[in-house]
Amino acid sequence: MSAIEFLEKAEEAFAAAHALLEQGHADSCASRCYYAAFHAVRAALIHAGVGAEDQRWSHEGIQGDLSQLTQRRKLYKAHLLDHLRILQEYRLIADYHARKVSLRAARRAEKMAEEFVSAVKKVIHS
């Protein structure tokens, strides 16, 4: 998949997260927010030439690869790396734990995911 295709996946995941939050589904929203950011990072990495379109992406590896774009190349704000880690924590709670993600945390996740998708969209379309 190309950078644009991954960006489209990110936008779709974000739209789903937003709709889920409006319905009060905090766990599902948090999970979709993480994947919105995950796909946005994939788009950013491919666009920057760090990753290949057919590359297999791990959740841990993508954080290390993102640090190249935030720390070394400074294409994106450094706090996006923290956002990705927080979103992954929310997803793990939502998908694998008995406790639930709060609506407050889901709203926070939505804001972080929106910032992620917007930042990558801006760089790719500039």
Side-chain angles (χ1 to χ4, degrees), residues 2 4 18 26 36 49 52 54-55 68 83 88 103 107 113 120 122-123 125-126:
S2 70
I4 296 296
H18 179 73
D54 61 348
Q55 180 175 337
Q68 291 184 45
H83 282 3
Q88 185 177 27
L103 281 173
R107 285 185 198 100
V120 174
K122 183 178 177 181
V123 170
H125 291 303
S126 65

Side-chain angles (χ1 to χ4, degrees), residues 5-18:
E5 290 169 315
F6 278 120
L7 184 56
E8 289 170 353
K9 285 182 79 71
E11 290 173 324
E12 181 179 327
F14 179 75
H18 179 73

Side-chain angles (χ1 to χ4, degrees), residues 26-27 89-102:
D27 279 346
E89 287 175 28
Y90 288 160
R91 183 190 72 86
L92 292 174
I93 291 167
D95 292 346
Y96 300 109
H97 294 279
R99 68 183 171 127
K100 298 181 104 11
V101 173
S102 69

Side-chain angles (χ1 to χ4, degrees), residues 1-46:
M1 293 181 85
S2 70
I4 296 296
E5 290 169 315
F6 278 120
L7 184 56
E8 289 170 353
K9 285 182 79 71
E11 290 173 324
E12 181 179 327
F14 179 75
H18 179 73
L20 289 161
L21 183 59
E22 285 189 346
Q23 296 172 16
H25 301 296
D27 279 346
S28 296
C29 169
S31 184
R32 290 293 85 205
C33 284
Y34 170 74
Y35 281 106
F38 183 80
H39 294 312
V41 172
R42 293 163 80 177
L45 292 169
I46 291 168

Side-chain angles (χ1 to χ4, degrees), residues 75-118:
L75 294 174
Y76 297 93
K77 294 180 181 180
H79 71 270
L80 289 179
L81 187 56
D82 292 330
H83 282 3
L84 186 62
R85 290 181 185 133
I86 292 166
L87 289 168
Q88 185 177 27
E89 287 175 28
Y90 288 160
R91 183 190 72 86
L92 292 174
I93 291 167
D95 292 346
Y96 300 109
H97 294 279
R99 68 183 171 127
K100 298 181 104 11
V101 173
S102 69
L103 281 173
R104 182 178 179 189
R107 285 185 198 100
R108 182 177 181 218
E110 182 188 35
K111 288 180 183 176
M112 287 187 279
E114 182 176 29
E115 184 179 355
F116 238 110
V117 173
S118 294

